[in-house]
Amino acid sequence: KSFAIARDIPLIAVNHMEGHIIANFIKNEKTINDFPKFPFLNLTVSGGHTQIVLVKSLDEMEVIGETLDDAAGEAFDKSAKLLGLEYPGGPLIDKYSKDGNNNRFKFGKHKVKDFNFSFSGIKTSILRLVEMEVNKNKNFINENLSDLCASIQHTIVDILIMKIIDASEKL
């Protein structure tokens, strides 16, 4: 905005979240005849945003669900921090989860009305488990890192999938 003002050139406002959706319509050899048909539901999951959008047309989009606290990406990063992993933690959780048992640890899933998201419950659940187990065994995280990461990833992805399925069944 400052650059446009300084140069006295037009500023075109862009809703970057709509940009994520509209990117599905970029033509290339793989997608030329494969565009989504209207209306459709779009789940956008990024580092700072998690939302479900009912896309009626390129000009008509309605956010029907969004995060009430941290986005899914932030939940990954903050969970990784609890495990002592570097930032950004999401890719590290994914890396370590590949060798883990995703059902080994169960973490709380906050129940939120409608199609909104909350990831604060999972972070609290992870924190409590880690504190309790580290008090018993100082090497708990290192000895269980793959299973912890797999369970965290499974829980976050499961929340996302449950919400989009719920929205698709009710709309």
Side-chain angles (χ1 to χ4, degrees):
K1 185 176 179 180
S2 297
F3 185 76
I5 291 168
R7 297 284 182 170
D8 195 29
I9 57 176
L11 174 69
I12 300 171
V14 176
N15 179 325
H16 95 276
M17 293 307 291
E18 287 182 6
H20 284 293
I21 297 167
I22 292 170
N24 290 298
F25 293 92
I26 296 173
K27 290 185 180 182
N28 64 46
E29 62 276 356
K30 293 180 184 174
T31 61
I32 198 133
N33 294 316
D34 234 3
F35 295 131
K37 306 291 185 253
F38 298 106
F40 65 88
L41 290 173
N42 187 88
L43 172 64
T44 303
V45 181
S46 69
H49 299 281
T50 303
Q51 61 180 209
I52 299 174
V53 178
L54 175 59
V55 182
K56 299 173 186 175
S57 73
L58 289 178
D59 297 327
E60 189 178 358
M61 301 181 199
E62 177 187 352
V63 176
I64 62 168
E66 59 192 340
T67 185
L68 301 176
D69 44 43
D70 291 339
E74 291 170 303
F76 276 110
D77 290 338
K78 289 181 180 180
S79 297
K81 184 176 182 179
L82 293 173
L83 301 178
L85 300 176
E86 294 178 13
Y87 180 85
L92 292 173
I93 286 182
D94 183 55
K95 175 185 170 185
Y96 293 121
S97 72
K98 295 191 184 330
D99 296 323
N101 174 354
N102 64 5
N103 291 307
R104 172 104 186 274
F105 300 104
K106 300 293 182 202
F107 300 114
K109 296 178 189 172
H110 192 273
K111 301 289 184 193
V112 181
K113 280 178 50 174
D114 304 320
F115 310 122
N116 291 317
F117 299 91
S118 173
F119 293 100
S120 60
I122 184 174
K123 292 181 305 181
T124 302
S125 185
I126 294 163
L127 176 63
R128 287 185 180 146
L129 174 87
V130 167
E131 286 176 343
M132 181 179 68
E133 295 299 330
V134 166
N135 282 335
K136 295 182 213 172
N137 172 8
K138 298 291 182 207
N139 295 316
F140 171 77
I141 294 173
N142 289 336
E143 291 171 3
N144 297 281
L145 186 60
S146 292
D147 290 346
L148 284 163
C149 289
S151 297
I152 289 167
Q153 182 166 276
H154 176 77
T155 303
I156 293 172
V157 170
D158 193 46
I159 292 167
L160 295 167
I161 290 171
M162 287 186 327
K163 286 291 183 172
I164 196 70
I165 289 173
D166 191 32
S168 69
E169 290 174 345
K170 291 182 178 167
L171 295 176

